[in-house]
């Protein structure tokens, strides 16, 4: 790992440890923890880590940002850090300067589409947009009537936002743009399309899921060494040991898939077939691990793990919610199957093996 990545990730981890302790947040019913956390993240330049200096960002590498997102997953961060980083990255593709404050990305689903009208205004409806209610600006990927792709910066207040919640109790809103005039709009780079945004978003979520699973494993191991039943720690029971081994396996698989995809993107010059396979496979495997791993962690904890007072649900529910953002595992399984069928496994899989 590069020295710069160490510094960036260590900075993020220190902020998370100081201002995003899971137990403290779980006990805070007013949300007073959010402002200090966001201020610290902003002062460290983390929300705009993927934005070049000349566009108002920090100019960190993709690898740096991916490390921060994995750490954010380990702390189950419930502020729009990942969304703002992704929005900044999208805007930077079109060399659009980024404003300060929280941002999110539209669309957040492969099925939704925003249209660029002939008069330069944007129209369309996007569902499941994370933290849209909290965002001050939105980075939008829009399709023109001539088939061209554009990237726009939009004032979030210009859209109609219907509040919603995902299974982790974080905002997952529906945003409607009705002939909204963007602040800035520019053509996307050649070859950049909605699938590219979904793949990048999918890897972001995969890293967060992998981080959450690491935390769930740590919490479960610690609990099993503290909980006593029938006069001995439950970690001594073979069934519990078996479950912990399965959870460790799911966590390791998710981390391997997510970091491999992140490395592929960080080292690639474009979202080619190899990156597509890595990113799609990572989202599929991490989504499966979120379901299996969360169930195992709750089983180890028994009834206490299901209570609102326990921190475990902060990780398990968010991991489940992140499964659906930027394409569910079923979506990517179908798309991956189509691509392999169209190109042939003999042609595509060697590309991944060579990385």
């Amino acid at each position: 790992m590069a020295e710069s990545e160490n510094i960036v990730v260590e900075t993020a981890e220190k902020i998370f440890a100081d201002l995003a302790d899971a137990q403290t947040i779980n006990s805070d019913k007013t949300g007073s923890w959010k402002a200090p956390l966001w201020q610290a993240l902003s002062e460290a330049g983390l929300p705009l880590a993927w934005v070049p200096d000349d566009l108002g960002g920090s100019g960190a590498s993709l690898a740096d940002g991916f490390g921060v997102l994995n750490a954010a997953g380990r702390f189950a961060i419930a502020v729009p850090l990942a969304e703002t980083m992704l929005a900044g990255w999208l805007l930077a593709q079109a060399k659009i300067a980024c404003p300060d404050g929280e941002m999110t990305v539209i669309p957040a689903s492969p099925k939704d589409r925003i249209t660029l009208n002939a008069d330069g205004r944007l129209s369309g409806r996007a569902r499941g947009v994370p933290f849209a209610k909290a965002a001050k600006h939105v980075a939008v990927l829009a399709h023109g009537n001539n088939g061209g792709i554009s990237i726009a910066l939009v004032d979030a207040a210009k859209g109609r936002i219907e509040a919603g919640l995902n299974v982790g109790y974080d905002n997952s809103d529906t945003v409607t743009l009705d002939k909204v005039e963007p602040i800035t709009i520019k053509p996307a780079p050649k070859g950049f399309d909605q699938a590219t945004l979904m793949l990048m978003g999918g890897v972001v979520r995969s890293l967060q899921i992998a981080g959450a699973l690491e935390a769930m494993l740590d919490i479960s191991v610690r609990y099993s060494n503290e909980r006593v039943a029938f006069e001995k720690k439950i970690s001594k029971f073979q069934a519990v040991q078996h479950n912990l081994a399965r959870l460790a396996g799911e966590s390791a698989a998710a981390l391997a898939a997510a970091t491999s995809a992140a490395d592929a993107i960080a080292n690639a010059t474009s979202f080619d077939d190899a990156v597509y396979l890595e990113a799609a496979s990572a989202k599929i495997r991490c989504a499966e691990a979120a379901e299996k791993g969360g169930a195992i962690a709750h089983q180890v904890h028994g009834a206490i793990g299901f209570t609102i007072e326990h921190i475990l649900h902060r990780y398990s529910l968010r991991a489940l919610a992140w499964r659906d953002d930027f394409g569910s595992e079923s979506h990517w399984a179908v798309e991956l199957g189509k691509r392999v069928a169209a190109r042939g496994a003999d042609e595509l899989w060697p590309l991944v093996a060579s990385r």
Side-chain angles (χ1 to χ4, degrees):
M1 184 179 289
E3 182 180 356
S4 63
E5 186 177 349
N6 280 325
I7 294 172
V8 173
V9 176
E10 286 173 6
T11 299
E13 288 178 335
K14 186 178 187 306
I15 292 172
F16 297 151
D18 290 343
L19 299 172
D21 173 68
Q23 193 62 61
T24 301
I25 291 174
N26 209 38
S27 302
D28 183 356
K29 307 305 180 185
T30 64
S32 61
W33 56 272
K34 293 183 180 180
L37 174 59
W38 186 259
Q39 181 177 351
L41 292 171
S42 298
E43 289 174 353
L46 295 176
L48 298 181
W50 282 335
V51 178
D53 296 341
D54 59 346
L55 296 177
S58 305
S61 68
L62 284 172
D64 291 343
F66 285 139
V68 169
L69 291 166
N70 182 242
R74 292 197 298 273
F75 285 85
I77 297 303
V79 295
L81 172 62
E83 292 72 19
T84 302
M85 289 176 64
L86 189 58
W89 171 82
L90 177 59
L91 293 171
Q93 303 308 303
K95 302 189 183 307
I96 297 175
C98 291
D100 293 328
E102 298 91 332
M103 292 192 289
T104 192
V105 173
I106 294 177
S109 168
K111 297 180 180 180
D112 293 331
R113 184 184 177 101
I114 304 300
T115 301
L116 173 62
N117 303 320
D119 60 1
R121 296 174 183 268
L122 301 171
S123 298
R125 187 167 180 262
R127 298 158 296 178
V129 180
F131 292 105
K133 269 287 186 183
K136 296 178 181 177
H137 294 90
V138 180
V140 180
L141 185 74
H143 297 257
N145 292 327
N146 61 354
I149 305 292
S150 297
I151 296 171
L153 174 64
V154 173
D155 182 347
K158 300 293 185 180
R160 186 171 72 253
I161 301 175
E162 302 169 44
L165 294 175
N166 61 25
V167 296
Y169 300 100
D170 294 327
N171 279 107
S172 182
D173 310 310
T174 298
V175 180
T176 302
L177 303 179
D178 185 9
K179 298 179 181 178
V180 170
E181 183 176 358
I183 297 171
T184 308
I185 186 166
K186 293 183 179 180
K190 184 179 180 181
F192 194 98
D193 57 13
Q194 189 158 323
T196 305
L197 174 59
M198 295 300 114
L199 288 168
M200 185 67 170
V203 172
V204 166
R205 288 301 193 236
S206 295
L207 287 162
Q208 290 177 282
I209 289 172
L213 283 165
E214 288 183 84
M216 282 189 271
L217 175 61
D218 180 64
I219 293 168
S220 298
V221 170
R222 189 167 60 247
Y223 176 78
S224 71
N225 284 318
E226 295 170 350
R227 178 77 168 90
V228 175
F230 303 106
E231 299 183 351
K232 64 179 180 180
K233 296 177 181 178
I234 64 171
S235 61
K236 303 296 183 182
F237 289 98
Q238 188 174 12
V240 174
Q241 292 173 352
H242 177 65
N243 273 343
L244 290 174
R246 290 172 57 213
L247 177 54
E250 293 297 330
S251 176
L255 183 62
T259 54
S260 180
D263 287 344
I265 291 176
N267 295 318
T269 56
S270 64
F271 279 70
D272 56 16
D273 284 336
V275 170
Y276 188 102
L277 289 171
E278 289 269 14
S281 299
K283 187 66 191 297
I284 294 167
R285 186 63 185 91
C286 289
E288 292 175 350
E291 180 182 11
K292 295 176 182 178
I296 295 168
H298 280 283
Q299 189 173 19
V300 170
H301 281 77
I304 189 68
F306 289 91
T307 62
I308 198 68
E309 290 81 8
H310 201 281
I311 63 172
L312 182 60
H313 68 85
R314 290 192 56 80
Y315 301 90
S316 61
L317 292 180
R318 282 185 175 81
L320 290 174
W322 292 332
R323 292 171 64 194
D324 293 328
D325 291 340
F326 305 104
S328 65
E329 69 261 43
S330 59
H331 166 80
W332 287 117
V334 170
E335 293 302 311
L336 191 56
K338 288 179 180 177
R339 181 160 292 216
V340 171
R343 304 285 184 87
D346 292 341
E347 176 185 346
L348 293 182
W349 291 117
L351 294 175
V352 177
S354 66
R355 286 193 176 273

